[in-house]
Amino acid sequence: MSGGRGQAPDGGPVAEGPRGFAAAFGHDAEAGADAPGRVNLLGEHTDYNDGFVLPTATPQRTRVDVSRWTGPGIRLHAAEYGTTVAFDLERAPPEHHARYVYGCLRELAALGVELPPLELHVRSSVPIGVGLSSSAALEVATLRALRRLLAIPLDDVEIARIAQRAEIAYAGVQCGIMDQMAASLADTGHMLFLDTRSLDRRLLPLPAGGAMLVLDSGQPRRLAESGYNTRRDECREAARRLGVASLRDVADPAAIEALPDPLRARARHVFAENARVLEAVRGADVARFGELMNASHASLRDDYQVSVPALDALVGLLQSHPDVHGARLTGAGFGGACVALCAPGREAAVANSVLVAYAALGHSGSQRVPEPVATSPGA
Ligand code: GLA
């Protein structure tokens, strides 16, 4: 695996950012950068167990433009909300989105970076709150913009680590490092094979003959934070009882069967999920990759218990579609989005028929990746 310290391109689209900054603050931004969301293809709830993950970047990105100003404090304009909030480094702002930016600033300050009064403008096309890591995109874009403005010598891995610390400390989720590494190092043309213990990584081609489709179940991610932190505690306890530093180190799956439930079920998921990532990376064809995704969903539903009935229904409809190789929930679960690997060119047709069947079950879902092409009425 390569362990390069190069910087990923961070110029990118979402071009309205600089114009939006001028409209919000009456002068031009001094610097700007962006970062994508992520779709995890395989390797769910493995990152905080020191395991393996396989995310790719979303085409949607978050852009942050920034400038010094006369101050005092920080002013943050979020184009999606149409609001400007003001805060300083002493007190965390109540607004959820502002906390991610605040967390990044606090972490930079803790590293000794002298922060001047700042104005920041955020514009994002990453869907919010569906499990595509809009928060990591915001953190990484913020840190990249500040790296550029203040010439801070940080590489992309350091940016990911700072972003993860910001999320843990200021958003209250004991997250692993997958999302921030993906936002910092993944691109849309590859999957990022990441060893979350060593942070060794490799960009690999997406499964040949497969096209990615992401559908949002429309189910809000209830209990995501508390449920997530509980899973994390359960894994820690399972590892302790098995006498290993983390579940990644379990060598004999038979030992897992001696654990009491739910620790047994949680550990079984993590063990099998790591094996699925490694099998995919060794070279699964698209059909086998799809089977691994289906097995991942079953394990997340039955052993890890982070799915919800509506998400299971949507994944089931995708899995039984003839143009789909495999499908699973993506991200932390508890609601939110799922990802399918489809026959190339069939994404829109699959999305349409599956979403109609999903609506017939009384649910309202939507397509997120690729972004559906807007058609005029009657077209
Ligand atoms: C969230 C966390 C990640 C990871 C996934 C589950 O997205 O932020 O660190 O644990 O859930 O795989």
Side-chain angles (χ1 to χ4, degrees):
M1 284 189 214
S2 85
R5 290 169 61 91
Q7 291 184 3
D10 57 6
V14 202
E16 314 83 13
R19 269 207 310 279
F21 184 98
F25 297 117
H27 60 96
D28 288 340
E30 289 180 84
D34 69 2
R38 66 100 188 88
V39 182
N40 192 20
L41 296 175
L42 269 181
E44 216 66 85
H45 290 279
T46 49
D47 63 350
Y48 51 85
N49 291 298
D50 280 352
F52 305 101
V53 295
L54 210 47
T56 183
T58 62
Q60 295 99 328
R61 301 178 76 89
T62 297
R63 175 161 182 110
V64 173
D65 289 280
V66 63
S67 196
R68 300 171 186 87
W69 74 303
T70 48
I74 314 294
R75 301 210 298 164
L76 171 67
H77 184 86
E80 272 56 51
Y81 302 124
T83 57
T84 304
V85 299
F87 55 91
D88 58 41
L89 282 191
E90 303 313 312
R91 213 159 2 99
E95 294 83 0
H96 210 62
H97 69 283
R99 278 181 173 255
Y100 298 115
V101 173
Y102 173 81
C104 292
L105 296 172
R106 283 291 298 252
E107 290 298 325
L108 286 179
L111 290 173
V113 175
E114 293 248 354
L115 292 168
L118 293 167
E119 287 170 330
L120 300 109
H121 178 274
V122 179
R123 172 172 279 295
S124 181
S125 56
V126 182
I128 295 172
V130 301
L132 299 181
S133 284
S134 57
S135 58
L138 173 56
E139 291 150 4
V140 170
T142 298
L143 290 165
R144 285 176 166 177
L146 291 166
R147 170 171 72 186
R148 198 165 272 181
L149 177 76
L150 303 172
I152 311 169
L154 294 172
D155 69 23
D156 290 326
V157 172
E158 287 162 334
I159 286 214
R161 285 186 189 280
I162 295 168
Q164 181 200 21
R165 289 205 299 273
E167 179 133 359
I168 291 175
Y170 299 99
V173 179
Q174 300 287 315
C175 64
I177 196 150
M178 167 173 70
D179 301 348
Q180 292 78 13
M181 284 293 282
S184 195
L185 288 137
D187 63 46
T188 53
H190 297 89
M191 39 190 198
L192 176 73
F193 171 43
L194 174 69
D195 177 336
T196 64
R197 172 174 274 167
S198 64
L199 298 191
D200 279 350
R201 61 206 175 272
R202 235 189 306 157
L203 284 173
L204 302 173
L206 291 162
M212 196 175 61
L213 170 66
V214 175
L215 299 181
D216 173 18
S217 68
Q219 294 293 303
R221 293 188 306 149
R222 290 203 188 88
L223 294 179
E225 287 170 17
S226 59
Y228 186 92
N229 289 342
T230 305
R231 294 299 178 285
R232 211 180 154 138
D233 290 344
E234 289 166 346
C235 288
R236 207 176 282 127
E237 177 60 12
R240 192 187 67 77
R241 291 187 187 217
L242 291 168
V244 289
S246 75
L247 290 181
R248 182 250 181 84
D249 300 312
V250 173
D252 176 13
I256 291 174
E257 295 307 315
L259 290 172
D261 269 327
L263 304 185
R264 170 174 45 188
R266 307 297 187 248
R268 197 161 47 201
H269 165 75
V270 173
F271 184 87
E273 188 77 351
N274 276 327
R276 282 186 279 273
V277 174
L278 295 177
E279 181 182 340
V281 166
R282 276 197 303 272
D285 65 10
V286 71
R288 180 64 189 147
F289 200 106
E291 288 169 6
L292 293 170
M293 292 173 77
N294 292 345
S296 170
H297 185 79
S299 175
L300 288 161
R301 180 192 60 213
D302 301 335
D303 278 344
Y304 220 66
Q305 296 182 301
V306 290
S307 192
V308 294
L311 201 44
D312 291 336
L314 185 57
V315 168
L317 290 167
L318 283 163
Q319 289 176 344
S320 54
H321 194 288
D323 288 329
V324 172
H325 296 290
R328 56 184 288 278
L329 70 81
T330 188
F334 303 98
C338 55
V339 57
L341 207 53
C342 302
R346 300 295 298 154
E347 302 92 307
V350 170
N352 287 341
S353 76
V354 165
L355 288 174
V356 166
Y358 188 59
L361 298 174
H363 302 299
S364 171
S366 55
Q367 184 180 336
R368 298 309 187 135
V369 179
E371 287 181 88
V373 181
T375 49
S376 51

